[in-house]
Amino acid sequence: MKKTIKALKFPIVFLLIALSFIACDKEFSVIESGVLGKGNANFLTDSMEVPITAYNKKLNTLQINNLSSNLLGFFDDPEFGQTTASIVTQVTPTSFNPTFGVDPVIDSVVLSIPYFSKIIGSNTDGNTYSIKDSLYGDADAGIKLSIYHNNYFLRSFNPNSTNSPQNYFSNGGNNGVGPTDNSAFTENNTINFDDHKGILLQNITFKPSAEAIKTSIGEGSDKVTVLSVPALRTFLDDTEDTKNFWKTTFIDIEGRPELSNPSNFYDYFRGLYLKAEAIGGKGNMILLDINSTNANITIHYSKGEENSRTQDVYTLNFRGGNKVNTFINNYTTTFTDGNPNLGDETLYLKGAEGSMAVVDLFGNEDVDDDKIPDALEDFIDEFRIPDPDDESGYLKDNTTGNFVLKKLINEAQLIIYEDQSLTISSQDEDYHKYDRIYAYDITNNSIIADYEADLTENTQSPFSSRIFHLGQRDTDKKYKIRLTQHLNNILLRGSTNTKIGLVLSTNVNYINNAEILNSDDDVTAIPAAAILSPRGTILHGSAGSVVPAEKRMKLQVFFTDPEGN
């Protein structure tokens, strides 16, 4: 049997010292095991490097509807180029069959969509906020934001498939539409939302601000100022045409079926189209919390007889309706599918609609070549105890049914380095500081066992969440993805060796998937969080003589040998 790396053996005193350092670094774990020891045998720590093949996977036609949040704006990634994100969305009334009263007159129509922010302090006015976690690009740069009434019906169900939802897919390359048009694919059609624009409701230069929103309520001595979280907030009634639009669209049809239930309403009022464009080739992008309870359109109106008029509101929420986050890409890097047999020297992780990496643990076992050893088989032989009487060829525990192991895996680390030679943004030490690499099971489109076993979940700060499995980027520009439990399941339970997908994520707590339209290979979906992470990074792959051996992606396994072999 062929081993893939030379074993390193330490006297016990050095082992204890090493373990103390590892424990301090939160990098050592002991997991469930069926190790068979022999009396008072010495326990020696060894390590081995397991063969892997890592290659690029180009991403396009990604599911872009009903994401947990939405990107809006323009972002110029220093490594990969430009992405512009716009939104087409339905809205839902807070109540149906409204009664607007006697002689209703619209006073104002206000759009408000919060972006993600966190409280960093307070002053005499109230809380102060930071939006840096949801802002991409130059905070002082603005975008051109045009808000239209949308005339395209976003249906909920796929007419070609019984009880299946209708999904919409990205067309970032603008195939079949104009270079500045926002579009999407379905299974059978290309939708150009610019062909379905209704009345222009607002045209502004939008700059995301961390300032709290101040709203005045009441009049005279009863007037108070209410503070709310930072948001995209603008009026949609600043012309006679737009004010008349809201009146004729809602106020004037009181009592009609269009306002009686969700189905009728969605077909009647098909929502908004928020179109973002760069200004002079510059701008920024913000992540909107569009599913927030505070994301809405509020129609303020007065009603009643001349001497006894009162004020009221009719509110349309963004929660519940369908939403499509479109992308227009103008990349300087051409993404291509990599070499699944030999792997790639350089790996590109790019969000929105870009690229990911696929890691084939133990190399490509599907290659029919006698010169390529079966690394998985060798790995299993290294850890399991043979049993010629069992049909599997290995000894099993009669109680659990698990395979009995002769060696214990203490830790398995997928070690990944950034490619500093190709990273323009490496000149800024903080640019990639908060990047997280998310790993997932490609075969089952699910989290990896180590994710589930990681108890460091942090719902308040995704950057500090799941840090044991999905390690944070360190000062050496290195990542460690721990796959200890994943390998343990293969050895103990005979679990299938699945390929691992790597994407860039700004929220490792968000584990929903986004489908890929008509995928013809192993990758049929990706974590939706990758779509909402417009930035990218460049990594060293597993192949090539140009990459120094110590910088190549590798799977390193640390184990204990009870027999000291």
Side-chain angles (χ1 to χ4, degrees), residues 70-71 76 86 126 137 147 174 185 201 228 247-248 258 298 303 358 386 442 486 494 499 565:
N70 290 104
L71 292 166
D76 192 355
S86 298
I147 304 175
N174 282 32
F185 294 122
L201 300 171
S228 55
K247 180 178 183 299
T248 58
E258 289 88 336
T298 304
K303 61 183 180 180
V358 177
I442 283 177
H486 181 74
K499 293 180 180 179
N565 293 327

Side-chain angles (χ1 to χ4, degrees), residues 58-286:
K58 178 183 178 182
L59 297 175
N60 51 26
T61 59
L62 309 177
Q63 182 185 337
I64 52 173
N65 61 297
N66 297 337
L67 302 168
S68 65
S69 48
N70 290 104
L71 292 166
L72 179 71
F74 171 85
F75 178 61
D76 192 355
D77 187 289
E79 270 79 59
F80 301 109
Q82 301 170 349
T83 295
T84 304
S86 298
I87 302 170
V88 181
T89 177
Q90 293 176 327
V91 294
T92 308
T94 54
S95 62
F96 292 96
N97 292 313
T99 300
F100 295 111
V102 177
D103 192 22
V105 175
I106 290 180
D107 299 319
S108 63
V109 181
V110 182
L111 167 73
S112 182
I113 306 176
Y115 16 93
F116 289 90
S117 59
K118 61 182 179 181
I119 299 172
I120 57 173
S122 61
N123 53 34
T124 54
D125 290 333
N127 292 326
T128 56
Y129 297 88
S130 169
I131 61 172
K132 69 176 184 178
D133 292 340
S134 61
L135 178 67
Y136 302 91
D138 184 359
D140 295 325
I143 61 166
K144 176 184 176 183
L145 178 59
S146 305
I147 304 175
Y148 298 93
H149 174 222
N150 168 49
N151 286 324
Y152 184 84
F153 178 59
L154 296 173
R155 59 177 178 248
S156 298
F157 295 98
N158 187 342
N160 301 312
S161 181
T162 304
N163 296 326
S164 294
Q166 177 63 70
N167 288 328
Y168 298 86
F169 301 90
S170 60
N171 183 23
N174 282 32
N175 298 312
V177 300
T180 62
D181 290 353
N182 285 282
S183 59
F185 294 122
T186 62
E187 292 83 352
N188 303 312
N189 300 305
T190 302
I191 308 159
N192 185 347
F193 292 109
D194 282 82
D195 288 343
H196 300 275
K197 291 185 299 189
I199 182 175
L200 177 63
L201 300 171
Q202 185 57 279
N203 190 348
I204 59 173
T205 297
F206 170 57
K207 294 183 179 181
S209 169
E211 295 295 321
I213 299 296
K214 297 180 180 180
T215 307
S216 297
I217 300 177
E219 296 181 355
S221 59
D222 295 329
K223 187 174 182 179
V224 295
T225 299
V226 177
L227 298 180
S228 55
V229 297
L232 161 59
R233 188 174 187 273
T234 187
F235 289 92
L236 301 179
D237 67 312
D238 55 358
T239 68
E240 286 300 316
D241 285 343
T242 54
K243 184 170 288 190
N244 187 59
F245 168 81
W246 296 105
K247 180 178 183 299
T248 58
T249 302
F250 296 107
I251 302 295
D252 292 350
I253 65 165
E254 177 185 327
R256 284 176 45 176
E258 289 88 336
L259 304 184
S260 65
N261 60 63
S263 179
N264 288 350
F265 183 87
Y266 291 146
D267 189 38
Y268 167 65
F269 186 76
R270 299 183 174 184
L272 300 184
Y273 168 26
L274 282 66
K275 180 170 183 172
E277 297 173 271
I279 299 177
K282 296 182 179 181
N284 56 49
M285 188 175 288
I286 192 76

